[in-house]
Amino acid sequence: MSQRFRKNRLAFWSLRVLYVLVFIAVFGDFIANEKPIYCKIEGESHFPIFRQYLIDIGLAKLDARFFQNDWDEHDYESVVFPFIPYSSKTIDGKNGGYASPFEKQKIVSARYRHWLGTDNLGHDVAAGMISGTRVALLVGVIAMSIASLIGILLGSMAGFFGDDRFQVSKSSLWVYLIGLFVAWFYAFKARSFELSEAAKGGELSKQLLISLLIFGTILLTCRCILFFIKKMRWPGKKVRLPLDLIIMRMIEVLNSIPGFLLLLSIVGVLQRGSIFIVMAIIGLIRWTSIARFLRAELLRIRNLEYIEAARAMGFSNKRILLRHALPNALTPVLITISFGVASAILLESALSFLGFGIGEETVTWGKLLSEARRYPGAWWMALFPGGAIFITVTIFNLIGEGLTKAIGSE
Amino acid sequence: MLNYLVKRLLLFIPTLIVASMIAFGLSKLAEGDQVLDYLITDPFGEIENPTDLFNAENTYQRAANELSLDRPAFYFSITSRAYPDTLHKIGLANRRNTVEKLISQYGNWPQIETYYNNIRSLELEILSLPDSLDAAKVKIPLRDLYISYRHETINNRIDEIRSVLSENKALSKWLNTDFDVLKNKYGDVFNQATPRKLLMPSIQWHGFRNQYHAWIGSFVRGDFGISIFERRPVADKLAPALFWTMVLNLGAIFIAFLISIPLGVYSAARSGSQFDKATSLGLFMLYSLPAFWIGTMLLIFFTTKEYGMDIFQGIGLGEIPMSAPWWKQIWLAMPHLLLPIACIAYPALAFLTRQVRGGMVDVLGQEYIKTARAKGLSEKTVIWKHGFRNALSPIITLLASVFPAAIAGSITIEFIFNIPGMGWLTLNAILQKDWPVVFAVLMLGSVLTIVGILVSDILYAMTNPRVRFGEASTK
């Protein structure tokens, strides 16, 4: 398959462009930053960008030496600045009010030129583009990871078990239903005060962890209870759960609500812009296509002879699904995932274009683009960010297309 | 056929109910007090004497009643034994939240209720005092008590009141006893806490007089509620917005079909040729072009004077008399609509052409086309009469996607070009926190999507007898 994919020149080139984008996203801080990568002052070597990472995770403090002056005003003995000497937050007051990339800029040397122009306040557009790359790829990848996780789990269960093959004993059904309610009540409902206070104080993760621990403990207790029930040979009758029906209904409900509208309303209701909220919501909305795809694949696979053979060998359902059926269905899911990443990136940029979602301090392509609408003279604020969205979306679509052809021809 | 239709319709009812619950649940997540937003001026803003307070409470109560917000949210609620089932009766959302937070800390509703009532009676007491006593200094920390739920904050407020009272002897003569009662009542809340009640789950049944029931009931009857922001029926706001969105989308879909069918058929008939490859790639690129980018580019290059290319009319719809007949309104607005329609049309065009081409390539590869050619029919007849007819049915089903697109598809385009359609309306409603409008749009979107799916199913069933007679599963 990978050989066939490689033969598709467009798709293969898209993959190479993607590597470049990933490189920019990962090493963005070293490409565009107001801080030097390396500098030497009074015989001491400093690595300010690395140090910033340590400061961000709380392992170091800002060097007092750098407090007084701007980064470009120190007397360095030797210094290595990044390619773009601005970060996306740097305000270059002298070049505010939309400095065009081609016109004269108020700069000391060509090194400080704003190659892609500036915005109203004097933010460097090129640095903003690099910050945007990071946001776009992060949203695309993480949102689709969440979506894939849910989609693969639910889709494979719906397809493999269908409406007739998933059987549980009545006792375990009841124990788990009650257990889930109890676990939810004590983990979240009874702790709602602690959780909401923590969300305000910014310590949500700690309280959430406690809640999840309680949740897990109660479910574990349920398993123990079930173990004893089975020991006492009192499991009750088996009941069939129509998994396919339940999961397909869920998909139908989600598909019936216009996705972008739902995303907008949720972000609007929460009124707290955060990249993680946007990723989570996109992931929670976008899993349906993956689930449907996988369900169709497994509905086909589960009737194949080798699955029958595995069944005849007496393997458990779990083993057949995980070891035999799923591995054969997963490769085609890559197609859906790569189209999904494209649409997630598009969703996020449209969202921030409209001024929703991601918090004030993060620069995204969508936000840059929306500024062009406010000041039509700044063509560079429309051309570059929009072009970046276009290229990223296109390469993911081309990769998806290439995968379709490569897998389809096999 | 009828059986099939009824079955599908029945399956959509639970879907719609769940979708409505999601929309409703979202509205409950929103912070802020909808009743106060609705009232525009805060009735509790300037209160000088007890009558003002009673009036304010009445105004609030009446508004809450109008919006059915004085009811419990849902048919039932799952809480703990510590909560009363009359919590929704407390007016003012932030006071209700405060009481809830107090309960979730101490779990003793009776004590909290008396404490809360005492704050009010002390306020009434202060309001009835003559102005000469300068009671305003007590009023501020007292009103803060209504919305304080942390132990330290409440103690601080009580200390503030105490220090004011100790300075002002005349005032303390009037208020001391009531203040002492309040202090003791809060002491009761703190000391007689019953946190174990918080750990006992309880399910409360509220009956049919609830917010969800009222909302969904009137929605089914075609009454979409009252816009919080403008105090007029949501339906009145939706109608003109839906009109403009429909104009945009129908125009765009029409153009898209007009171009995509000949283009798709033509490239399918010459599949594999240079022309076919070039159009395929071109359409793929076109499909990947984000409409909001192209929209912005068109807007800044062709409607503003910056670049000397202001060929098209700018944002908005221009001056349109509301009294004019609808066709005249469209005619007058047309110069403004060209660019938005183009922006909506081109992705649809790219998508449709790919579909038409794909369908035609499949059909043209079939045996009966060879037979038709062998019969000596002209290429034109073969392609259009024998080929295209059979490729048409999946294309017709695509028409169904027009319905949901009318609601959601053009949000960004309407935003860019300031067209007062559904997307523009929704965006503004979200910014103004006008949730009744947002959720009417969400529900309408869901209904239209479902209708769209249904229509496409029916069209598909009509062209494909296997579905009709129940051979293929409809799951």
Side-chain angles (χ1 to χ4, degrees):
Chain A
M1 189 201 97
S2 73
Q3 269 179 345
R4 279 177 206 279
F5 183 78
R6 229 161 273 179
K7 271 185 194 155
N8 188 335
R9 281 212 335 260
L10 265 174
F12 195 52
W13 269 103
S14 306
L15 204 59
R16 286 184 188 165
V17 178
L18 178 62
Y19 292 150
V20 175
L21 286 180
V22 170
F23 178 83
I24 292 175
V26 173
F27 297 104
D29 287 339
F30 298 94
I31 303 172
N33 211 321
E34 53 186 340
K35 301 185 185 81
I37 298 171
Y38 164 80
C39 63
K40 199 169 184 185
I41 299 182
E42 294 164 16
E44 270 182 65
S45 290
H46 295 276
F47 298 91
I49 298 177
F50 284 108
R51 198 178 174 92
Q52 187 60 44
Y53 284 123
L54 293 180
I55 294 168
D56 287 344
I57 55 173
L59 286 180
K61 283 192 184 123
L62 198 65
D63 205 327
R65 179 194 305 280
F66 299 112
F67 271 147
Q68 280 111 13
N69 298 46
D70 278 347
W71 288 99
D72 52 346
E73 288 171 353
H74 290 282
D75 296 322
Y76 299 114
E77 287 161 29
S78 66
V79 60
V80 182
F81 269 111
F83 177 62
I84 300 163
Y86 303 99
S87 77
S88 62
K89 289 169 198 158
T90 319
I91 294 175
D92 181 2
K94 282 173 286 183
N95 287 303
Y98 303 103
S100 167
F102 292 144
E103 277 156 29
K104 211 168 177 303
Q105 294 174 352
K106 293 172 192 129
I107 40 175
V108 218
S109 68
R111 266 206 53 71
Y112 288 94
R113 195 170 175 80
H114 298 280
W115 293 104
L116 301 184
T118 66
D119 72 355
N120 194 15
L121 292 174
H123 291 112
D124 187 61
V125 173
M129 294 278 293
I130 284 166
S131 152
T133 313
R134 181 177 288 179
V135 175
L137 288 188
L138 211 59
V139 168
V141 169
I142 294 187
M144 277 331 271
S145 308
I146 297 171
S148 312
L149 213 67
I150 304 172
I152 288 174
L153 185 77
L154 294 183
S156 62
M157 289 201 358
F160 184 72
F161 292 109
D163 280 341
D164 46 355
R165 289 195 193 162
F166 193 78
Q167 293 187 333
V168 278
S169 65
K170 259 185 185 162
S171 56
S172 52
L173 188 67
W174 281 111
V175 168
Y176 272 123
L177 277 182
I178 295 170
L180 272 177
F181 173 76
V182 172
W184 165 78
F185 182 82
Y186 288 110
F188 297 104
K189 188 75 192 174
R191 304 190 73 250
S192 60
F193 178 72
E194 282 89 347
L195 285 171
S196 71
E197 286 301 291
K200 267 180 210 156
E203 292 171 342
L204 190 59
S205 45
K206 186 184 153 199
Q207 293 292 341
L208 213 56
L209 199 71
I210 298 176
S211 280
L212 287 177
L213 271 179
I214 296 174
F215 196 84
T217 319
I218 294 175
L219 283 191
L220 212 66
T221 323
C222 288
R223 252 204 104 97
C224 294
I225 294 172
L226 273 179
F227 180 74
F228 282 111
I229 289 179
K230 269 188 192 139
K231 272 268 154 110
M232 288 160 75
R233 297 178 186 280
W234 181 52
K237 261 192 199 158
K238 292 257 179 189
V239 276
R240 281 198 186 130
L241 271 190
L243 277 186
D244 192 31
L245 189 80
I246 298 171
I247 291 167
M248 284 312 278
R249 284 307 103 187
M250 281 165 65
I251 292 176
E252 197 169 82
V253 168
L254 219 50
N255 279 353
S256 77
I257 306 176
F260 190 53
L261 210 55
L262 185 64
L263 184 63
L264 263 181
S265 340
I266 298 177
V267 174
V269 163
L270 291 179
Q271 289 179 11
R272 265 190 299 256
S274 149
I275 182 171
F276 296 103
I277 292 177
V278 172
M279 290 189 299
I281 301 171
I282 295 180
L284 287 178
I285 291 176
R286 283 285 151 151
W287 58 268
T288 53
S289 54
I290 295 173
R292 282 169 82 147
F293 192 90
L294 206 60
R295 169 183 173 268
E297 277 293 303
L298 277 169
L299 273 179
R300 185 179 63 84
I301 287 176
R302 77 170 191 166
N303 291 328
L304 292 182
E305 272 171 12
Y306 81 96
I307 299 289
E308 295 292 322
R311 227 176 264 286
M313 302 268 287
F315 291 153
S316 71
N317 269 332
K318 203 158 123 194
R319 183 178 166 144
I320 299 173
L321 174 59
L322 291 180
R323 301 274 291 272
H324 303 276
L326 202 52
N328 280 317
L330 275 184
T331 338
V333 175
L334 279 178
I335 302 169
T336 332
I337 292 177
S338 89
F339 284 125
V341 171
S343 82
I345 290 174
L346 207 55
L347 270 181
E348 182 279 315
S349 51
L351 203 63
S352 51
F353 176 72
L354 296 176
F356 283 88
I358 289 171
E360 290 284 311
E361 66 289 344
T362 320
V363 182
T364 67
W365 291 337
K367 278 185 198 168
L368 290 175
L369 183 55
S370 74
E371 221 165 302
R373 192 176 159 270
R374 238 175 287 150
Y375 182 71
W379 54 268
W380 53 94
M381 305 222 54
L383 189 65
F384 302 126
I389 299 170
F390 167 56
I391 289 169
T392 317
V393 170
T394 309
I395 60 169
F396 276 108
N397 280 341
L398 281 173
I399 291 171
E401 197 89 329
L403 283 172
T404 316
K405 276 182 192 151
I407 292 167
S409 57
E410 230 165 49
Chain B
M1 185 69 202
L2 195 72
N3 261 343
Y4 170 75
L5 203 78
V6 171
K7 199 173 141 197
R8 296 248 48 170
L9 271 176
L10 283 179
L11 271 177
F12 280 135
I13 293 172
T15 309
L16 260 184
I17 292 176
V18 176
S20 76
M21 282 179 189
I22 291 176
F24 179 77
L26 262 180
S27 76
K28 291 294 112 188
L29 278 181
E31 284 173 16
D33 197 331
Q34 290 272 279
V35 182
L36 285 185
D37 290 342
Y38 179 69
L39 284 170
I40 305 169
T41 51
D42 183 0
F44 293 90
E46 279 177 37
I47 286 172
E48 301 297 336
N49 51 51
T51 357
D52 284 353
L53 186 63
F54 293 135
N55 283 342
E57 281 170 352
N58 276 337
T59 318
Y60 186 92
Q61 198 58 43
R62 233 176 301 129
N65 191 26
E66 254 174 72
L67 299 169
S68 339
L69 285 174
D70 58 343
R71 307 175 181 191
F74 202 56
Y75 298 101
F76 62 88
S77 57
I78 302 170
T79 51
S80 64
R81 293 278 293 279
Y83 290 85
D85 59 352
T86 51
L87 210 57
H88 57 272
K89 286 188 180 152
I90 299 169
L92 286 170
N94 54 7
R95 293 191 189 175
R96 193 162 50 240
N97 291 338
T98 312
V99 171
E100 252 177 90
K101 284 194 170 138
L102 280 173
I103 297 176
S104 61
Q105 285 175 88
Y106 302 116
N108 46 356
W109 165 241
Q111 282 86 342
I112 292 169
E113 193 182 21
T114 34
Y115 158 68
Y116 227 67
N117 285 339
N118 270 299
I119 303 179
R120 187 166 172 277
S121 50
L122 191 60
E123 195 190 3
L124 277 176
E125 182 81 31
I126 292 170
L127 289 172
S128 59
L129 292 177
D131 285 347
S132 57
L133 280 169
D134 196 24
K137 271 188 190 161
V138 190
K139 223 156 69 178
I140 296 159
L142 186 70
R143 304 204 75 186
D144 261 1
L145 270 186
Y146 277 123
I147 49 169
S148 314
Y149 55 87
R150 284 171 163 277
H151 185 54
E152 312 90 71
T153 340
I154 293 178
N155 274 336
N156 284 344
R157 297 292 165 267
I158 289 178
D159 284 346
E160 269 172 54
I161 299 175
R162 184 189 290 132
S163 67
V164 172
L165 286 185
S166 62
E167 279 166 22
N168 193 334
K169 287 288 175 237
L171 197 62
S172 72
K173 203 185 279 174
W174 284 97
L175 297 178
N176 241 349
T177 40
D178 274 348
F179 175 63
D180 282 340
V181 174
L182 180 69
K183 229 167 40 186
N184 289 336
K185 290 300 171 197
Y186 180 66
D188 287 351
V189 170
F190 190 72
N191 294 325
Q192 301 172 11
T194 51
R196 72 195 147 74
K197 269 195 184 171
L198 286 167
L199 296 178
M200 290 184 236
S202 96
I203 296 173
Q204 293 166 351
W205 174 254
H206 296 298
F208 290 99
R209 229 189 94 78
N210 60 54
Q211 290 175 31
Y212 174 75
H213 195 77
W215 178 67
I216 197 75
S218 47
F219 190 90
V220 168
R221 271 180 269 119
D223 171 13
F224 298 164
I226 305 164
S227 158
I228 295 286
F229 196 70
E230 283 183 47
R231 297 194 118 189
R232 61 189 181 119
V234 174
D236 287 2
K237 288 183 89 171
L238 290 187
L242 197 60
F243 171 72
W244 286 115
T245 303
M246 277 297 185
V247 168
L248 277 187
N249 281 283
L250 288 179
I253 296 292
F254 179 71
I255 292 171
F257 267 97
L258 210 63
I259 301 176
S260 66
I261 288 176
L263 193 61
V265 171
Y266 191 78
S267 46
R270 280 165 186 67
S271 87
S273 69
Q274 282 297 329
F275 173 80
D276 179 41
K277 277 181 187 159
T279 38
S280 282
L281 185 66
L283 289 170
F284 188 83
M285 290 297 178
L286 206 59
Y287 183 65
S288 298
L289 276 176
F292 61 94
W293 178 39
I294 296 304
T296 313
M297 297 280 273
L298 290 175
L299 180 85
I300 69 169
F301 281 114
F302 294 114
T303 71
T304 60
K305 293 202 172 65
E306 296 283 342
Y307 307 95
M309 294 188 289
D310 48 335
I311 310 162
F312 294 96
Q313 295 291 320
I315 57 172
L317 286 176
E319 296 268 315
I320 292 172
M322 289 307 283
S323 55
W326 61 270
W327 50 268
K328 194 158 189 209
Q329 289 192 13
I330 296 179
W331 180 249
L332 285 174
M334 204 31 106
H336 294 266
L337 292 179
L338 289 175
L339 286 182
I341 287 180
C343 286
I344 299 171
Y346 84 77
L349 173 93
F351 176 73
L352 280 174
T353 312
R354 279 162 67 86
Q355 296 288 325
V356 172
R357 186 192 165 274
M360 273 304 276
V361 167
D362 281 350
V363 169
L364 289 181
Q366 278 173 14
E367 294 290 322
Y368 75 91
I369 296 288
K370 277 185 200 155
T371 319
R373 284 209 178 105
K375 269 201 307 192
L377 293 177
S378 74
E379 191 64 21
K380 209 171 162 186
T381 326
V382 171
I383 287 174
W384 286 103
K385 228 175 161 188
H386 291 80
F388 181 63
R389 266 198 172 177
N390 286 296
L392 192 64
S393 62
I395 301 165
I396 293 175
T397 59
L398 290 175
L399 256 179
S401 64
V402 178
F403 292 101
I407 297 284
S410 47
I411 294 179
T412 46
I413 299 302
E414 285 174 18
F415 168 76
I416 293 168
F417 293 98
N418 261 17
I419 309 288
M422 292 294 276
W424 187 82
L425 180 81
T426 317
L427 270 180
N428 278 328
I430 291 175
L431 288 176
Q432 292 163 351
K433 301 179 197 167
D434 199 346
W435 304 123
V437 176
V438 178
F439 299 111
V441 173
L442 257 184
M443 272 309 284
L444 218 58
S446 309
V447 173
L448 288 184
T449 310
I450 285 177
V451 168
I453 295 171
L454 197 66
V455 168
S456 74
D457 276 357
I458 292 168
L459 287 175
Y460 195 70
M462 273 159 66
T463 51
N464 198 345
R466 270 177 303 176
V467 180
R468 223 183 311 166
F469 297 118
E471 267 179 48
S473 93
T474 51
K475 265 183 281 184

